[in-house]
Amino acid sequence: MIFDSYEAYKLAGFKPKACILGSGPAGTTIARKLGAAGIPVVVLEAGSREFSDESQDFYRGATVGDYYFDLDITRLRFMGGSSNHWAGWCRVLDKQDFEPKAWAPDTGWPISRADIEPYLGEVHDILELPDFRPDVAVSDDIRWVQLIKSPAVRFGEKFADELDKSKNIAVVLNTYATELAGDGKRVTGAKLWSNGQDAGTFRADYFVTCTGGLENSRLLLWSNQRSNGGVVPNAAALGRYWMEHPTFEGGNAILANYSEFEVDTSNEAFFSPTLAAMERLQILNFGIRVIESPYPNVKRLIADLACTAPNMAEWMSSQLDQRLHCAAQLYVAWEQAPLASNRIELSKADVDRAGVPRIELHWKKSPLERRTLLEGLRLFGTTMAQKNLGRVRIDDWIGNGGDYPTNEETAGHHHMGGTRMGTDVLTSVVDANCKVHGMDNLYVGGSSVFCTSGQCNPTTTITALACRLGEHLGKVIAV
């Protein structure tokens, strides 16, 4: 059932056991799991069925630190959430992404990749994916990896009919949970704002916040402030360890034979480091996307390099009449270290129309991220040269330690951390089952629970974690 207002929902007399806040990939997936288990669940979606400027205005905020996107641009506030501008890139976090790294503090998850693998079949159905193929070693340091471009599933569109026909799921649009109330052990209710006005307090046995990698922290920070710590009793890490995937063009390559690499339907190939290489160089995970350039770019690149890199130009010229067919652009997206200083705070000066403080995002890239970018490109270039597959030129600003450009991709629009998973209440907010430490009935879904970011797009892992949480919560509620 889908209702356009909280008033219409109340008239239906639906009685849920669980309340999910947000209808994006995590919220919709958890709701479908609970509904399939026969458990009545309500999904409160702050936006409507379609995009609107009025709704997006609630997402305005400020960023302190490095250049970043406007916060009301980098996510969406209507049914289906930010899946509505998802590009569709899919890959699950690597096994090594879940493991602690001695050179990077506060890394490691309380679960392993094996804990989400049983749900990947469901994820493939949800995201309409073929099976992934195993990574292929290019060298001891670099491996070819597969990213799959799904049809970019819009959760609000794909599952609308199913949700509308469901007897166990009620989706309530235009209904914003402005804060949760709690007594330090349980959430006792949610204060609602619907269609531009106060809609009273809503109660359910269980609550799951799935409002996104920024809004989960905002909601819980505000709720905790209003309830004097009654919603997140162990709040040392709340809002902290926020992460993104810095993403920039890293340079160019001349490849002896582009067909050496398996490419996707867009004629792109993807590469990442081995764990041994990461350990040796003490860097984080990264992904290099190789995009073929038109043939004329080969000659132009040779000319550009002839003065500054004569040895490389000589190799390229010798190959040109034989099997050298293309130049390529190298784009790099890489893992950001989890730092407590990268955090979400509540604005002290600005509130939205419902009176909730807006977000102030504190975000800076650290020296470890800069080293990962430079050493990652060097590693890739060394492998290409050693295997006689090509030669790599790293952009000057990277090699010279220049400023990050502000006219490139910047980041992936991947919001991770803030309510991270763990066993230590000083460095995490939720446990291995995504339940808030110290609370009996409050769970968190989505990428805000990520402990580390890995190098790949998060949606596939978000959906797997949501399947896992939905199954766990179904068992808890059924007891």
Side-chain angles (χ1 to χ4, degrees):
M1 298 169 281
I2 300 178
F3 302 91
D4 288 320
S5 71
Y6 185 58
E7 287 299 319
Y9 163 78
K10 287 195 298 183
L11 293 174
F14 186 77
K15 298 187 182 303
K17 296 287 291 183
C19 175
I20 296 172
L21 307 179
S23 67
T28 295
T29 299
I30 295 167
R32 294 178 66 242
K33 291 283 284 190
L34 293 178
I39 296 170
V41 55
V42 63
V43 179
L44 303 182
E45 167 55 51
S48 64
R49 296 175 190 261
E50 304 291 341
F51 175 91
S52 75
D53 291 332
E54 181 181 3
S55 184
Q56 281 299 118
D57 182 75
F58 282 83
Y59 276 174
R60 281 195 297 107
T63 301
V64 178
D66 286 353
Y67 171 80
Y68 193 60
F69 311 110
D70 290 342
L71 298 187
D72 57 333
I73 298 298
T74 191
R75 57 233 170 92
L76 293 174
R77 192 177 187 264
F78 63 102
M79 187 173 171
S82 291
S83 73
N84 288 296
H85 67 187
W86 178 43
W89 292 111
C90 293
R91 181 177 171 85
V92 188
L93 286 177
D94 295 326
K95 177 182 177 182
Q96 65 201 37
D97 293 328
F98 289 88
E99 299 170 355
K101 298 171 181 62
W103 63 93
D106 294 316
T107 52
W109 294 53
I111 63 173
S112 68
R113 164 68 182 261
D115 289 305
I116 65 172
E117 285 178 352
Y119 305 96
L120 296 185
E122 291 180 68
V123 172
H124 281 226
D125 289 341
I126 292 168
L127 300 181
E128 301 175 19
L129 301 176
D131 290 335
F132 285 95
R133 291 188 293 282
D135 300 342
V136 177
V138 179
S139 69
D140 290 340
D141 294 331
I142 294 292
R143 57 205 167 98
W144 171 88
V145 300
Q146 186 184 31
L147 271 74
I148 297 177
K149 190 83 174 286
S150 91
V153 171
R154 309 303 186 210
F155 279 67
E157 296 176 7
K158 177 173 180 175
F159 298 110
D161 287 345
E162 175 187 330
L163 296 172
D164 202 23
K165 293 174 182 176
S166 175
K167 301 301 181 185
N168 292 324
I169 303 172
V171 178
V172 188
L173 303 175
N174 302 300
T175 301
Y176 171 27
T178 58
E179 67 180 87
L180 301 175
D183 59 13
K185 291 185 178 180
R186 296 183 62 83
V187 170
T188 56
K191 292 189 176 181
L192 304 184
W193 174 274
S194 184
N195 288 314
Q197 60 185 357
D198 186 348
T201 299
F202 177 84
R203 292 179 174 81
D205 293 340
Y206 293 88
F207 286 85
V208 189
T209 67
C210 299
T211 57
L214 288 165
E215 289 297 309
N216 277 345
S217 292
R218 179 192 185 195
L219 170 64
L220 294 178
L221 284 165
W222 179 235
S223 300
N224 226 33
Q225 182 175 315
R226 297 277 289 172
S227 64
N228 296 314
V231 173
V232 185
N234 301 287
L238 180 58
R240 295 186 176 273
Y241 302 98
W242 193 83
M243 300 166 290
E244 245 278 15
H245 286 137
T247 305
F248 292 90
E249 185 172 358
N252 307 92
I254 294 293
L255 303 176
N257 189 348
Y258 200 72
S259 64
E260 289 278 352
F261 311 116
E262 183 172 351
V263 298
D264 64 10
T265 55
S266 300
N267 209 31
E268 299 176 1
F270 305 87
F271 301 88
S272 285
T274 62
L275 179 58
M278 293 167 60
E279 289 176 337
R280 185 179 76 250
L281 296 173
Q282 296 200 333
I283 60 176
L284 297 173
N285 207 348
F286 63 84
I288 291 180
R289 177 164 50 123
V290 179
I291 305 176
E292 186 177 12
S293 299
Y295 177 76
N297 287 359
V298 179
K299 292 184 177 180
R300 184 166 63 249
L301 187 56
I302 290 174
D304 290 343
L305 289 173
C307 296
T308 58
N311 291 336
M312 185 186 296
E314 182 180 352
W315 175 87
M316 291 188 290
S317 296
S318 71
Q319 297 290 316
L320 189 58
D321 292 330
Q322 300 175 36
R323 54 193 180 91
L324 189 65
H325 299 302
C326 67
Q329 295 171 287
L330 306 179
Y331 287 87
V332 191
W334 65 100
E335 179 177 10
Q336 183 170 24
L339 300 177
S341 57
N342 284 330
R343 66 196 186 276
I344 295 159
E345 292 187 355
L346 299 176
S347 172
K348 296 179 175 59
D350 197 7
V351 300
D352 65 22
R353 286 182 55 217
V356 179
R358 297 187 185 275
I359 285 174
E360 185 176 274
L361 175 64
H362 294 251
W363 184 60
K364 288 186 70 69
K365 296 179 285 295
S366 76
L368 180 53
E369 279 96 69
R370 188 62 177 246
R371 188 165 81 242
T372 296
L373 171 62
L374 177 58
E375 296 300 331
L377 284 164
R378 285 174 172 169
L379 196 69
F380 182 69
T382 298
T383 289
M384 293 295 103
Q386 288 176 344
K387 298 295 182 179
N388 206 33
L389 295 170
R391 297 295 187 270
V392 167
R393 181 188 69 83
I394 300 173
D395 276 353
D396 290 342
W397 71 268
I398 299 173
N400 297 337
D403 292 338
Y404 286 96
T406 58
N407 60 346
E408 291 191 16
E409 287 187 59
T410 301
H413 298 280
H414 303 156
H415 310 148
M416 298 164 285
T419 67
R420 70 198 308 253
M421 184 188 294
T423 56
D424 185 347
V425 297
L426 296 179
T427 57
S428 65
V429 176
V430 303
D431 65 16
N433 291 316
C434 297
K435 184 166 73 70
V436 172
H437 293 309
M439 297 295 283
D440 295 334
N441 68 339
L442 178 58
Y443 293 78
V444 180
S447 55
S448 68
V449 308
F450 281 26
C451 304
T452 53
S453 61
Q455 60 84 14
C456 65
N457 304 55
T459 303
T460 315
T461 306
I462 289 171
T463 309
L465 288 169
C467 288
R468 180 175 179 267
L469 174 52
E471 182 175 289
H472 170 77
L473 190 56
K475 292 175 181 177
V476 170
I477 295 174
V479 172

